[in-house]
């Protein structure tokens, strides 16, 4: 027995496991789960298909957490959540979703997440690798005011310009939704939630349903020739081109949201001078960086040659410089951009679009242009 | 004479020059290739050292030298069209040629039947 098969004995399977095997997925361990890396179509074509039609992703490994006020008053839950998230929860309307992050006492990012207001509770979608830590953190921080419960459901995503047409055949309500809307839905008599968002930079939806209904919906969607199953490999290249952060790579316990270029998610009301300023872990550092600017900043990088520049590569100010000034946090090949693409952190003075920096790959310094994020415009349905 | 390594390279010896590439098994495992870096003509390779790099969307993989020797030719077409290394790794997608300095090193490599058994 190899180490791989020994490890796979302890891996969890999602409710879509049998379906993945039926359609020929190559399964790999990821965040404690056995997940599809790619299907017979292959990563490149899966990526391009999602940009042009519709891609179906199994993201059931991600954590779903329901937060409800013990008082029964949703605004109590909103206020409690604002003690762990530097975003505007109080002002998030029913049926709307917002991006946010749990911060550490040091002002880093414990996890990034999506938060939806479902009327009687909030639904948090958290990263697979962080779900235990996030749950423990929430229980500890807001468990007195709120019930904090993991929701045992599958989660699938349908992404791409063809997503609305394909999904509305089975869930007609989705045609009425716009970007970041969240709605309760039922499929085959089972209740779930659909949100219009995703992790690809395309229009699309994420659908949380009990296991059996999710499998039935996935099968129904895959019967449509416009819909292809897409693995984790293309999920990563799609999110990279979209300039979206991967926790553990681009953001982590040390990186602040300001350094990560996520200040847009922290509204005025939570900043210095706002009526609900601060009051979240790490506020001192985060508010100071918002006021004075951070020392370093996440940037987009376009290597000028064809060599992919990958996570971990050191960044230099010049060909001759002896000290690295930053590093690449995510990088690879962008199939839609038909070339290498990366993100990294640089001192703020260098984090200026148009600057040139040098990434060290196999002992060679490769010129890279600092560029704005995202690398390509998003296809969200905003109105 | 066609030989294979346990690092999934193949080598075809004609006279004292060996053509080297990655195996079809390796190409299948790597998936779509998007970048190929070849050694420089004239470079002296040592068996087991990194001689070339093939990269998929997700990862870079070293291609190790299966034998000592001096690089006499590289497949510029493979560098210009990395996809060909993935689709025809043991034909048009060869990587480079070396002048073999120690033919006895071939004895430690696998033949076709042994390699097929090795990858199962």
């Amino acid at each position: 027995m190899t180490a791989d098969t020994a490890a796979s004995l302890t891996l969890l399977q999602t409710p879509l496991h049998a379906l993945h095997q039926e359609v020929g997925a190559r399964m790999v361990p990821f965040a404690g789960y056995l997940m599809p890396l790619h299907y017979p179509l292959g990563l490149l074509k899966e990526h391009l298909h999602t940009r042009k039609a519709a891609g179906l992703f199994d993201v059931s490994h991600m954590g779903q957490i329901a937060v409800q006020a013990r008082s029964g008053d949703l605004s109590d839950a909103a206020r409690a959540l604002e003690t762990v998230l530097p975003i505007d929860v109080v002002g998030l309307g029913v049926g709307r979703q917002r991006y946010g992050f749990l911060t550490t006492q040091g002002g880093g990012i414990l996890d990034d997440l999506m938060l939806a207001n479902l009327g009687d509770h909030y639904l948090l979608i958290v990263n697979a690798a962080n779900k235990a830590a996030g749950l423990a953190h929430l229980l500890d921080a807001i468990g007195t005011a709120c019930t904090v419960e993991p929701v045992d459901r599958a989660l699938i995503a349908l992404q791409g310009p063809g997503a609305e047409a394909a999904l509305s055949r089975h869930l007609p309500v989705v045609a009425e939704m716009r970007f970041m809307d969240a709605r309760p839905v039922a499929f085959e008599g089972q209740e779930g939630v659909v949100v219009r968002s995703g992790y690809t930079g395309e229009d699309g939806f994420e659908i949380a349903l009990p296991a059996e209904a999710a499998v039935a919906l996935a099968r129904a969607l895959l019967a449509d020739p416009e819909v292809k199953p897409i693995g984790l490999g293309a999920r990563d290249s799609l999110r990279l081109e979209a300039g979206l952060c991967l926790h553990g790579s681009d953001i982590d316990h040390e990186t602040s949201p300001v350094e990560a270029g996520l200040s847009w998610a922290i509204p005025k009301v939570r900043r210095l001078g706002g009526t609900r300023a601060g009051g979240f872990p790490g506020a001192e550092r985060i508010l100071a960086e918002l006021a004075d600017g951070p020392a370093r900043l996440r940037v987009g990088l376009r290597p000028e040659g064809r060599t992919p520049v990958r996570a971990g590569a050191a960044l230099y100010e010049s060909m001759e410089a002896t000290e690295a000034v930053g590093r690449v946090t995510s990088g690879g090949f962008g199939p839609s951009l038909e070339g290498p693409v990366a993100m990294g952190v640089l001192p703020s003075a260098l984090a200026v679009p148009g600057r040139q920096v040098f990434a060290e790959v196999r002992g060679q310094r490769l010129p890279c242009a600092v560029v704005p994020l995202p690398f390509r415009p998003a296809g969200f349905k905003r109105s | 004479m066609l030989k294979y390594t346990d690092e999934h390279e193949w080598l075809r010896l004609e006279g004292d020059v060996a053509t080297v590439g990655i195996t079809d098994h390796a190409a299948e495992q790597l998936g779509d290739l998007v970048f190929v870096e070849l050694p420089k003509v004239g470079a002296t390779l040592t068996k087991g050292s990194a001689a070339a790099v093939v990269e998929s969307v997700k990862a870079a993989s070293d291609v190790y030298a299966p034998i000592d020797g001096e690089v006499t030719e590289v497949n510029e077409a493979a560098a210009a069209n990395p996809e060909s290394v993935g689709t025809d790794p043991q034909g048009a997608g060869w990587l480079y040629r070396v002048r073999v300095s120690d033919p006895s090193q071939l004895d430690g490599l696998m033949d076709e039947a042994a390699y097929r058994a090795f990858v199962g």
Side-chain angles (χ1 to χ4, degrees), chain A residues 346-377:
Chain A
L346 283 173
S348 297
L350 297 177
V352 180
R355 281 291 303 224
Q356 189 182 51
V357 293
F358 297 83
E360 193 158 281
V361 177
R362 296 184 286 274
Q364 293 204 348
R365 299 252 172 117
L366 307 176
C368 301
V370 176
V371 299
L373 293 168
F375 297 99
R376 57 191 306 289

PDB file of all heavy atoms in Angstrom, chain A residues 346-377:
ATOM      1  N   LEU A 346       4.000  42.993  -2.142  1.00  0.00           N
ATOM      2  CA  LEU A 346       5.136  43.901  -2.361  1.00  0.00           C
ATOM      3  C   LEU A 346       5.028  45.058  -1.371  1.00  0.00           C
ATOM      4  O   LEU A 346       3.923  45.406  -0.941  1.00  0.00           O
ATOM      5  CB  LEU A 346       5.084  44.472  -3.781  1.00  0.00           C
ATOM      6  CG  LEU A 346       5.529  43.580  -4.937  1.00  0.00           C
ATOM      7  CD1 LEU A 346       5.246  44.274  -6.262  1.00  0.00           C
ATOM      8  CD2 LEU A 346       7.020  43.233  -4.814  1.00  0.00           C
ATOM      9  N   PRO A 347       6.162  45.702  -1.038  1.00  0.00           N
ATOM     10  CA  PRO A 347       6.083  46.944  -0.260  1.00  0.00           C
ATOM     11  C   PRO A 347       5.178  47.928  -1.006  1.00  0.00           C
ATOM     12  O   PRO A 347       5.205  47.979  -2.246  1.00  0.00           O
ATOM     13  CB  PRO A 347       7.531  47.444  -0.246  1.00  0.00           C
ATOM     14  CG  PRO A 347       8.362  46.243  -0.542  1.00  0.00           C
ATOM     15  CD  PRO A 347       7.534  45.353  -1.410  1.00  0.00           C
ATOM     16  N   SER A 348       4.398  48.707  -0.256  1.00  0.00           N
ATOM     17  CA  SER A 348       3.402  49.577  -0.902  1.00  0.00           C
ATOM     18  C   SER A 348       4.010  50.484  -1.963  1.00  0.00           C
ATOM     19  O   SER A 348       3.383  50.757  -2.986  1.00  0.00           O
ATOM     20  CB  SER A 348       2.695  50.414   0.161  1.00  0.00           C
ATOM     21  OG  SER A 348       2.006  49.551   1.037  1.00  0.00           O
ATOM     22  N   ALA A 349       5.247  50.939  -1.746  1.00  0.00           N
ATOM     23  CA  ALA A 349       5.883  51.840  -2.715  1.00  0.00           C
ATOM     24  C   ALA A 349       6.078  51.167  -4.071  1.00  0.00           C
ATOM     25  O   ALA A 349       6.139  51.836  -5.105  1.00  0.00           O
ATOM     26  CB  ALA A 349       7.226  52.327  -2.168  1.00  0.00           C
ATOM     27  N   LEU A 350       6.191  49.848  -4.067  1.00  0.00           N
ATOM     28  CA  LEU A 350       6.391  49.115  -5.328  1.00  0.00           C
ATOM     29  C   LEU A 350       5.089  48.550  -5.879  1.00  0.00           C
ATOM     30  O   LEU A 350       5.037  48.075  -7.014  1.00  0.00           O
ATOM     31  CB  LEU A 350       7.375  47.953  -5.112  1.00  0.00           C
ATOM     32  CG  LEU A 350       8.796  48.314  -4.695  1.00  0.00           C
ATOM     33  CD1 LEU A 350       9.618  47.054  -4.459  1.00  0.00           C
ATOM     34  CD2 LEU A 350       9.455  49.173  -5.775  1.00  0.00           C
ATOM     35  N   ALA A 351       4.042  48.576  -5.049  1.00  0.00           N
ATOM     36  CA  ALA A 351       2.767  47.936  -5.428  1.00  0.00           C
ATOM     37  C   ALA A 351       1.934  48.877  -6.286  1.00  0.00           C
ATOM     38  O   ALA A 351       0.794  49.190  -5.968  1.00  0.00           O
ATOM     39  CB  ALA A 351       2.009  47.509  -4.173  1.00  0.00           C
ATOM     40  N   VAL A 352       2.540  49.321  -7.368  1.00  0.00           N
ATOM     41  CA  VAL A 352       1.925  50.337  -8.221  1.00  0.00           C
ATOM     42  C   VAL A 352       1.825  49.764  -9.633  1.00  0.00           C
ATOM     43  O   VAL A 352       2.842  49.367 -10.202  1.00  0.00           O
ATOM     44  CB  VAL A 352       2.796  51.611  -8.250  1.00  0.00           C
ATOM     45  CG1 VAL A 352       2.172  52.667  -9.141  1.00  0.00           C
ATOM     46  CG2 VAL A 352       3.028  52.136  -6.841  1.00  0.00           C
ATOM     47  N   PRO A 353       0.611  49.696 -10.188  1.00  0.00           N
ATOM     48  CA  PRO A 353       0.499  49.191 -11.557  1.00  0.00           C
ATOM     49  C   PRO A 353       1.452  49.935 -12.500  1.00  0.00           C
ATOM     50  O   PRO A 353       1.583  51.152 -12.418  1.00  0.00           O
ATOM     51  CB  PRO A 353      -0.975  49.457 -11.901  1.00  0.00           C
ATOM     52  CG  PRO A 353      -1.673  49.386 -10.580  1.00  0.00           C
ATOM     53  CD  PRO A 353      -0.699  49.991  -9.591  1.00  0.00           C
ATOM     54  N   GLY A 354       2.118  49.167 -13.353  1.00  0.00           N
ATOM     55  CA  GLY A 354       3.087  49.750 -14.262  1.00  0.00           C
ATOM     56  C   GLY A 354       4.527  49.529 -13.813  1.00  0.00           C
ATOM     57  O   GLY A 354       5.437  49.562 -14.632  1.00  0.00           O
ATOM     58  N   ARG A 355       4.727  49.285 -12.496  1.00  0.00           N
ATOM     59  CA  ARG A 355       6.072  48.993 -12.004  1.00  0.00           C
ATOM     60  C   ARG A 355       6.523  47.642 -12.549  1.00  0.00           C
ATOM     61  O   ARG A 355       5.720  46.768 -12.831  1.00  0.00           O
ATOM     62  CB  ARG A 355       6.086  48.877 -10.467  1.00  0.00           C
ATOM     63  CG  ARG A 355       6.090  50.171  -9.702  1.00  0.00           C
ATOM     64  CD  ARG A 355       7.356  50.979  -9.791  1.00  0.00           C
ATOM     65  NE  ARG A 355       8.578  50.302  -9.376  1.00  0.00           N
ATOM     66  CZ  ARG A 355       9.495  50.869  -8.608  1.00  0.00           C
ATOM     67  NH1 ARG A 355       9.290  52.079  -8.110  1.00  0.00           N
ATOM     68  NH2 ARG A 355      10.610  50.231  -8.320  1.00  0.00           N
ATOM     69  N   GLN A 356       7.829  47.474 -12.630  1.00  0.00           N
ATOM     70  CA  GLN A 356       8.365  46.172 -12.995  1.00  0.00           C
ATOM     71  C   GLN A 356       9.119  45.605 -11.784  1.00  0.00           C
ATOM     72  O   GLN A 356       9.870  46.338 -11.133  1.00  0.00           O
ATOM     73  CB  GLN A 356       9.320  46.325 -14.181  1.00  0.00           C
ATOM     74  CG  GLN A 356       9.764  45.001 -14.774  1.00  0.00           C
ATOM     75  CD  GLN A 356      10.752  45.204 -15.917  1.00  0.00           C
ATOM     76  OE1 GLN A 356      11.738  45.915 -15.790  1.00  0.00           O
ATOM     77  NE2 GLN A 356      10.475  44.584 -17.056  1.00  0.00           N
ATOM     78  N   VAL A 357       8.880  44.342 -11.498  1.00  0.00           N
ATOM     79  CA  VAL A 357       9.650  43.651 -10.463  1.00  0.00           C
ATOM     80  C   VAL A 357      10.167  42.351 -11.071  1.00  0.00           C
ATOM     81  O   VAL A 357       9.824  42.017 -12.212  1.00  0.00           O
ATOM     82  CB  VAL A 357       8.802  43.366  -9.191  1.00  0.00           C
ATOM     83  CG1 VAL A 357       8.422  44.662  -8.492  1.00  0.00           C
ATOM     84  CG2 VAL A 357       7.563  42.548  -9.528  1.00  0.00           C
ATOM     85  N   PHE A 358      11.000  41.636 -10.310  1.00  0.00           N
ATOM     86  CA  PHE A 358      11.628  40.437 -10.848  1.00  0.00           C
ATOM     87  C   PHE A 358      11.381  39.252  -9.931  1.00  0.00           C
ATOM     88  O   PHE A 358      11.617  39.330  -8.726  1.00  0.00           O
ATOM     89  CB  PHE A 358      13.134  40.676 -11.034  1.00  0.00           C
ATOM     90  CG  PHE A 358      13.411  41.763 -12.029  1.00  0.00           C
ATOM     91  CD1 PHE A 358      13.374  43.109 -11.651  1.00  0.00           C
ATOM     92  CD2 PHE A 358      13.648  41.461 -13.362  1.00  0.00           C
ATOM     93  CE1 PHE A 358      13.591  44.121 -12.577  1.00  0.00           C
ATOM     94  CE2 PHE A 358      13.864  42.472 -14.294  1.00  0.00           C
ATOM     95  CZ  PHE A 358      13.833  43.804 -13.909  1.00  0.00           C
ATOM     96  N   ALA A 359      10.861  38.174 -10.509  1.00  0.00           N
ATOM     97  CA  ALA A 359      10.595  36.959  -9.738  1.00  0.00           C
ATOM     98  C   ALA A 359      11.723  35.974  -9.988  1.00  0.00           C
ATOM     99  O   ALA A 359      12.165  35.807 -11.133  1.00  0.00           O
ATOM    100  CB  ALA A 359       9.264  36.344 -10.166  1.00  0.00           C
ATOM    101  N   GLU A 360      12.204  35.336  -8.927  1.00  0.00           N
ATOM    102  CA  GLU A 360      13.278  34.375  -9.103  1.00  0.00           C
ATOM    103  C   GLU A 360      12.708  32.968  -9.268  1.00  0.00           C
ATOM    104  O   GLU A 360      12.017  32.462  -8.389  1.00  0.00           O
ATOM    105  CB  GLU A 360      14.249  34.423  -7.923  1.00  0.00           C
ATOM    106  CG  GLU A 360      15.532  33.678  -8.228  1.00  0.00           C
ATOM    107  CD  GLU A 360      16.681  34.141  -7.341  1.00  0.00           C
ATOM    108  OE1 GLU A 360      17.263  35.202  -7.619  1.00  0.00           O
ATOM    109  OE2 GLU A 360      16.958  33.444  -6.347  1.00  0.00           O
ATOM    110  N   VAL A 361      12.980  32.379 -10.436  1.00  0.00           N
ATOM    111  CA  VAL A 361      12.517  31.025 -10.751  1.00  0.00           C
ATOM    112  C   VAL A 361      13.723  30.207 -11.209  1.00  0.00           C
ATOM    113  O   VAL A 361      14.384  30.576 -12.179  1.00  0.00           O
ATOM    114  CB  VAL A 361      11.440  31.051 -11.867  1.00  0.00           C
ATOM    115  CG1 VAL A 361      11.013  29.627 -12.230  1.00  0.00           C
ATOM    116  CG2 VAL A 361      10.233  31.867 -11.442  1.00  0.00           C
ATOM    117  N   ARG A 362      14.019  29.135 -10.491  1.00  0.00           N
ATOM    118  CA  ARG A 362      15.155  28.264 -10.813  1.00  0.00           C
ATOM    119  C   ARG A 362      16.441  29.078 -11.048  1.00  0.00           C
ATOM    120  O   ARG A 362      17.172  28.876 -12.013  1.00  0.00           O
ATOM    121  CB  ARG A 362      14.831  27.394 -12.030  1.00  0.00           C
ATOM    122  CG  ARG A 362      13.662  26.431 -11.762  1.00  0.00           C
ATOM    123  CD  ARG A 362      13.380  25.494 -12.920  1.00  0.00           C
ATOM    124  NE  ARG A 362      12.733  26.096 -14.046  1.00  0.00           N
ATOM    125  CZ  ARG A 362      11.410  26.252 -14.184  1.00  0.00           C
ATOM    126  NH1 ARG A 362      10.599  25.832 -13.229  1.00  0.00           N
ATOM    127  NH2 ARG A 362      10.905  26.823 -15.256  1.00  0.00           N
ATOM    128  N   GLY A 363      16.670  30.049 -10.134  1.00  0.00           N
ATOM    129  CA  GLY A 363      17.914  30.811 -10.186  1.00  0.00           C
ATOM    130  C   GLY A 363      17.931  31.949 -11.181  1.00  0.00           C
ATOM    131  O   GLY A 363      18.920  32.668 -11.285  1.00  0.00           O
ATOM    132  N   GLN A 364      16.853  32.131 -11.939  1.00  0.00           N
ATOM    133  CA  GLN A 364      16.821  33.219 -12.917  1.00  0.00           C
ATOM    134  C   GLN A 364      15.838  34.289 -12.481  1.00  0.00           C
ATOM    135  O   GLN A 364      14.791  33.984 -11.922  1.00  0.00           O
ATOM    136  CB  GLN A 364      16.383  32.677 -14.283  1.00  0.00           C
ATOM    137  CG  GLN A 364      17.391  31.738 -14.879  1.00  0.00           C
ATOM    138  CD  GLN A 364      17.275  31.658 -16.389  1.00  0.00           C
ATOM    139  OE1 GLN A 364      16.305  32.142 -16.969  1.00  0.00           O
ATOM    140  NE2 GLN A 364      18.254  31.059 -17.027  1.00  0.00           N
ATOM    141  N   ARG A 365      16.147  35.538 -12.763  1.00  0.00           N
ATOM    142  CA  ARG A 365      15.238  36.648 -12.451  1.00  0.00           C
ATOM    143  C   ARG A 365      14.380  36.946 -13.677  1.00  0.00           C
ATOM    144  O   ARG A 365      14.900  37.297 -14.742  1.00  0.00           O
ATOM    145  CB  ARG A 365      16.041  37.899 -12.085  1.00  0.00           C
ATOM    146  CG  ARG A 365      16.916  37.684 -10.852  1.00  0.00           C
ATOM    147  CD  ARG A 365      16.415  38.394  -9.639  1.00  0.00           C
ATOM    148  NE  ARG A 365      17.193  37.998  -8.471  1.00  0.00           N
ATOM    149  CZ  ARG A 365      17.943  38.805  -7.763  1.00  0.00           C
ATOM    150  NH1 ARG A 365      18.034  40.087  -8.092  1.00  0.00           N
ATOM    151  NH2 ARG A 365      18.603  38.365  -6.708  1.00  0.00           N
ATOM    152  N   LEU A 366      13.078  36.805 -13.511  1.00  0.00           N
ATOM    153  CA  LEU A 366      12.157  37.001 -14.628  1.00  0.00           C
ATOM    154  C   LEU A 366      11.371  38.287 -14.418  1.00  0.00           C
ATOM    155  O   LEU A 366      10.756  38.479 -13.362  1.00  0.00           O
ATOM    156  CB  LEU A 366      11.183  35.818 -14.724  1.00  0.00           C
ATOM    157  CG  LEU A 366      11.825  34.428 -14.784  1.00  0.00           C
ATOM    158  CD1 LEU A 366      10.751  33.349 -14.789  1.00  0.00           C
ATOM    159  CD2 LEU A 366      12.694  34.298 -16.035  1.00  0.00           C
ATOM    160  N   PRO A 367      11.375  39.188 -15.403  1.00  0.00           N
ATOM    161  CA  PRO A 367      10.638  40.441 -15.238  1.00  0.00           C
ATOM    162  C   PRO A 367       9.124  40.198 -15.216  1.00  0.00           C
ATOM    163  O   PRO A 367       8.597  39.401 -15.992  1.00  0.00           O
ATOM    164  CB  PRO A 367      11.036  41.254 -16.481  1.00  0.00           C
ATOM    165  CG  PRO A 367      11.527  40.262 -17.466  1.00  0.00           C
ATOM    166  CD  PRO A 367      12.069  39.090 -16.700  1.00  0.00           C
ATOM    167  N   CYS A 368       8.458  40.893 -14.283  1.00  0.00           N
ATOM    168  CA  CYS A 368       7.002  40.799 -14.150  1.00  0.00           C
ATOM    169  C   CYS A 368       6.439  42.210 -14.045  1.00  0.00           C
ATOM    170  O   CYS A 368       7.005  43.044 -13.339  1.00  0.00           O
ATOM    171  CB  CYS A 368       6.602  40.066 -12.879  1.00  0.00           C
ATOM    172  SG  CYS A 368       7.225  38.396 -12.724  1.00  0.00           S
ATOM    173  N   ALA A 369       5.335  42.471 -14.706  1.00  0.00           N
ATOM    174  CA  ALA A 369       4.667  43.765 -14.584  1.00  0.00           C
ATOM    175  C   ALA A 369       3.675  43.694 -13.428  1.00  0.00           C
ATOM    176  O   ALA A 369       2.942  42.708 -13.292  1.00  0.00           O
ATOM    177  CB  ALA A 369       3.937  44.094 -15.877  1.00  0.00           C
ATOM    178  N   VAL A 370       3.665  44.744 -12.606  1.00  0.00           N
ATOM    179  CA  VAL A 370       2.632  44.877 -11.572  1.00  0.00           C
ATOM    180  C   VAL A 370       1.384  45.392 -12.282  1.00  0.00           C
ATOM    181  O   VAL A 370       1.442  46.393 -13.008  1.00  0.00           O
ATOM    182  CB  VAL A 370       3.078  45.857 -10.472  1.00  0.00           C
ATOM    183  CG1 VAL A 370       1.967  46.062  -9.445  1.00  0.00           C
ATOM    184  CG2 VAL A 370       4.352  45.347  -9.793  1.00  0.00           C
ATOM    185  N   VAL A 371       0.279  44.688 -12.116  1.00  0.00           N
ATOM    186  CA  VAL A 371      -0.960  45.043 -12.838  1.00  0.00           C
ATOM    187  C   VAL A 371      -2.140  45.100 -11.871  1.00  0.00           C
ATOM    188  O   VAL A 371      -2.097  44.489 -10.803  1.00  0.00           O
ATOM    189  CB  VAL A 371      -1.266  44.038 -13.979  1.00  0.00           C
ATOM    190  CG1 VAL A 371      -0.148  44.014 -15.004  1.00  0.00           C
ATOM    191  CG2 VAL A 371      -1.505  42.643 -13.425  1.00  0.00           C
ATOM    192  N   PRO A 372      -3.199  45.827 -12.242  1.00  0.00           N
ATOM    193  CA  PRO A 372      -4.381  45.867 -11.369  1.00  0.00           C
ATOM    194  C   PRO A 372      -5.099  44.515 -11.356  1.00  0.00           C
ATOM    195  O   PRO A 372      -4.994  43.740 -12.305  1.00  0.00           O
ATOM    196  CB  PRO A 372      -5.289  46.930 -12.018  1.00  0.00           C
ATOM    197  CG  PRO A 372      -4.517  47.531 -13.139  1.00  0.00           C
ATOM    198  CD  PRO A 372      -3.392  46.623 -13.469  1.00  0.00           C
ATOM    199  N   LEU A 373      -5.823  44.276 -10.266  1.00  0.00           N
ATOM    200  CA  LEU A 373      -6.659  43.075 -10.165  1.00  0.00           C
ATOM    201  C   LEU A 373      -8.122  43.468 -10.349  1.00  0.00           C
ATOM    202  O   LEU A 373      -8.502  44.566  -9.945  1.00  0.00           O
ATOM    203  CB  LEU A 373      -6.457  42.413  -8.794  1.00  0.00           C
ATOM    204  CG  LEU A 373      -5.062  41.814  -8.567  1.00  0.00           C
ATOM    205  CD1 LEU A 373      -4.867  41.445  -7.101  1.00  0.00           C
ATOM    206  CD2 LEU A 373      -4.894  40.575  -9.442  1.00  0.00           C
ATOM    207  N   PRO A 374      -9.003  42.617 -10.884  1.00  0.00           N
ATOM    208  CA  PRO A 374      -8.675  41.307 -11.446  1.00  0.00           C
ATOM    209  C   PRO A 374      -7.974  41.419 -12.795  1.00  0.00           C
ATOM    210  O   PRO A 374      -7.922  42.492 -13.392  1.00  0.00           O
ATOM    211  CB  PRO A 374     -10.055  40.665 -11.605  1.00  0.00           C
ATOM    212  CG  PRO A 374     -10.973  41.814 -11.834  1.00  0.00           C
ATOM    213  CD  PRO A 374     -10.426  42.945 -11.016  1.00  0.00           C
ATOM    214  N   PHE A 375      -7.443  40.301 -13.260  1.00  0.00           N
ATOM    215  CA  PHE A 375      -6.721  40.289 -14.533  1.00  0.00           C
ATOM    216  C   PHE A 375      -7.672  40.433 -15.710  1.00  0.00           C
ATOM    217  O   PHE A 375      -7.277  40.851 -16.778  1.00  0.00           O
ATOM    218  CB  PHE A 375      -5.941  38.979 -14.675  1.00  0.00           C
ATOM    219  CG  PHE A 375      -4.883  38.809 -13.628  1.00  0.00           C
ATOM    220  CD1 PHE A 375      -5.101  38.038 -12.509  1.00  0.00           C
ATOM    221  CD2 PHE A 375      -3.658  39.463 -13.760  1.00  0.00           C
ATOM    222  CE1 PHE A 375      -4.126  37.892 -11.542  1.00  0.00           C
ATOM    223  CE2 PHE A 375      -2.675  39.325 -12.793  1.00  0.00           C
ATOM    224  CZ  PHE A 375      -2.914  38.541 -11.680  1.00  0.00           C
ATOM    225  N   ARG A 376      -8.905  40.016 -15.498  1.00  0.00           N
ATOM    226  CA  ARG A 376      -9.912  40.135 -16.557  1.00  0.00           C
ATOM    227  C   ARG A 376     -11.225  40.549 -15.909  1.00  0.00           C
ATOM    228  O   ARG A 376     -11.488  40.212 -14.754  1.00  0.00           O
ATOM    229  CB  ARG A 376     -10.056  38.834 -17.356  1.00  0.00           C
ATOM    230  CG  ARG A 376     -10.395  37.621 -16.517  1.00  0.00           C
ATOM    231  CD  ARG A 376     -10.262  36.332 -17.289  1.00  0.00           C
ATOM    232  NE  ARG A 376     -11.017  36.287 -18.515  1.00  0.00           N
ATOM    233  CZ  ARG A 376     -12.331  36.201 -18.601  1.00  0.00           C
ATOM    234  NH1 ARG A 376     -13.063  36.185 -17.515  1.00  0.00           N
ATOM    235  NH2 ARG A 376     -12.929  36.136 -19.755  1.00  0.00           N
ATOM    236  N   PRO A 377     -12.063  41.298 -16.616  1.00  0.00           N
ATOM    237  CA  PRO A 377     -13.286  41.803 -16.008  1.00  0.00           C
ATOM    238  C   PRO A 377     -14.228  40.664 -15.604  1.00  0.00           C
ATOM    239  O   PRO A 377     -14.319  39.647 -16.292  1.00  0.00           O
ATOM    240  CB  PRO A 377     -13.924  42.675 -17.101  1.00  0.00           C
ATOM    241  CG  PRO A 377     -13.223  42.327 -18.364  1.00  0.00           C
ATOM    242  CD  PRO A 377     -11.905  41.734 -18.021  1.00  0.00           C
TER     243      PRO A 377
END
